[in-house]
Amino acid sequence: MPFIQVNLGAGRTPEQKDALIRAVSAAAAAAISVPEASVRVWLVEVPATEVLVGGQTLAEKQAAAVPQGRP
């Protein structure tokens, strides 16, 4: 029975997270020829202030991506 943990910077929608865990589960089941019911997948969200990418926190990158004057 595979156990798969996905660490992900916070900021995705519930729909995106649902799509991710479903896709990972299906891919794992297909790759190792096991029933999908035996695959366990969970997400661990890391706060955007605690992820550094290219010298900027994920929170800084997300804020820079928002057009000026919009929250």
Side-chain angles (χ1 to χ4, degrees):
M1 171 184 320
F3 291 84
I4 302 167
Q5 177 174 311
V6 178
N7 296 315
L8 185 68
R12 295 344 185 270
T13 67
E15 295 80 15
Q16 289 171 319
K17 293 184 286 188
D18 182 70
L20 176 60
I21 60 175
R22 289 177 187 277
V24 168
S25 180
I32 62 173
S33 301
V34 297
E36 197 167 344
S38 71
V39 178
R40 305 294 185 260
V41 179
W42 64 96
L43 293 177
V44 175
E45 285 192 282
V46 180
T49 56
E50 297 179 13
V51 177
L52 195 67
V53 180
Q56 281 188 303
T57 66
L58 184 54
E60 292 166 338
K61 287 179 126 357
Q62 291 169 341
V66 175
Q68 292 289 334
R70 302 186 87 188

